[in-house]
Amino acid sequence: MHHFKFRRNNLFCENVKIKDLAEKYNTPLYIYSAKTILDHFSKIETAFSAIKPLICYSAKANSNLAILKLLVDRGAGLDIVSGGELYRAKKIKCSPGKVVYASVGKTEQEIAEAINYGIKMFNVESVDELKRINEIAGALRKKVSAAIRINPDIDPKTHKYITTAKLETKFGIDIITARDIFLNRKVYPHLNIAGIHLHIGSQITQSAPFIRAITKIKHFIKGLERKKVNLKYLNIGGGLGIVYDKEKPQTVKDFASRVLPLLKEIGLKVILEPGRFIVGNAGILVAKVIYIKDTPVKKFIIVDAGMNDLIRPSLYDAYHKIIPLEKPSAISHQLSAIKMVDVVGPICETADFLGKSRRINVKQGDCLAVLGAGAYGFSMSSNYNSRPRAAEVLVKNNKSYLIRKRETYRDLVKREEIC
Ligand SMILES: *Cc1c(COP(=O)(O)O)cnc(C)c1O
């Protein structure tokens, strides 16, 4: 469910006409719907209401302060993966007791800052890291909570770049080593190793991989209980898939009905880390057509947004629907009569495309909306080709708010020095 809909012939975000936003704020422009974000959060909350989990929104999906604040005010915690995201969490005054921190490469400084903020727990991804957090906690005279991120060695059946639960990936700790850690918890006197963390991948459309991973963990936890090692938390991560094209992802209600029996049987306090599910379909990227280039073999629509703005098509071969802001008239709507086009950006890379082989009929100066761009869109954007990053707008209560100003050329060079 999202709030980007046509009214008569124009695309709207909630009650706001997108074309007006494109004119007011210029393009390329990210536009998010607060209502959609909150609806998605509520859906998760409702589906899991039987166990009242802590829902930590995964900040890396879209880390704009306004979006973090919107979710935190609604009751979410945050799942962070860097000192920069910790800084954002502090900036919006997220309760430290609702912050969990994963990443295979936390530095000493990042660890100390997170301990000083008093975060709920670290999701630890190696023995080296565990030792380091223990040392830093000792030096700071703090007792720090940690969960062990377990790599369950299952295949989540998603793109290989967003698979994190196979042993050949860098994530988590294998089950044998994890067992060792729990049985020897005493060697980490400054840690309270109280939980297990799982995050098996992203854009997972079926519940089977989750069930497989959680079932593995259930046996693991039962084994520990027999050894008198009792845990408090089970964090099952994020990864819920959304509709980009013709996927038929499980609904969160289906997902919950499948995993809830297992989670109840395990009986630990559950933490969830949804990212994409909450913001993915709550955002679009609006781009303007600069040129139309019809070559003997192919037709290109060249727009003012590129892979620096939205890298998912280039990086993951991801599909995003691309539609004009205005519905084409009935005659030109004979889509089958329209030549296939590639929608590409201005960047000097062949991989710079937003969509390939689409039937879209637009002219120079028209705007296109790239749908499903709310997650891993702006947050993965860069300044490649010295392109200022796009502006971001949040539509909330039918008003639009500029939540990130477009970067300027001055911004591009402001930290550089000529010597
Ligand atoms: C990226 C990430 C998530 C969120 O994943 P989505 O697929 O966006 O739900 C959750 N937990 C961890 C540890 C992550 O790295």
Side-chain angles (χ1 to χ4, degrees), residues 289-294 299-302 341 362-364:
V289 178
I290 310 176
Y291 298 114
I292 294 175
K293 179 167 167 176
D294 208 350
K299 185 169 171 183
F300 296 98
I301 294 181
I302 302 168
V341 298
V362 278
K363 55 183 190 309
Q364 197 175 49

Side-chain angles (χ1 to χ4, degrees), residues 64 73-74 141 154 159 166 219 224 251 259 283 288 336 346 359 397 402 409-410 417:
N64 186 291
D73 284 352
R74 176 63 182 73
R141 298 177 194 290
I154 58 131
H159 190 281
K166 303 249 293 167
H219 295 304
L224 288 178
T251 64
V259 299
K288 188 179 281 166
S336 56
R359 290 191 201 279
N397 300 324
L402 182 61
Y409 292 142
R410 187 184 289 254
E417 305 267 6

Side-chain angles (χ1 to χ4, degrees), residues 58 60 79 102 149 197 199 202-203 238-240 273-276 376:
S58 189
K60 74 177 187 291
D79 157 43
R149 177 168 180 178
H197 176 226
H199 173 65
S202 199
Q203 185 56 14
L240 289 176
E273 301 174 334
R276 188 190 310 272
Y376 307 104

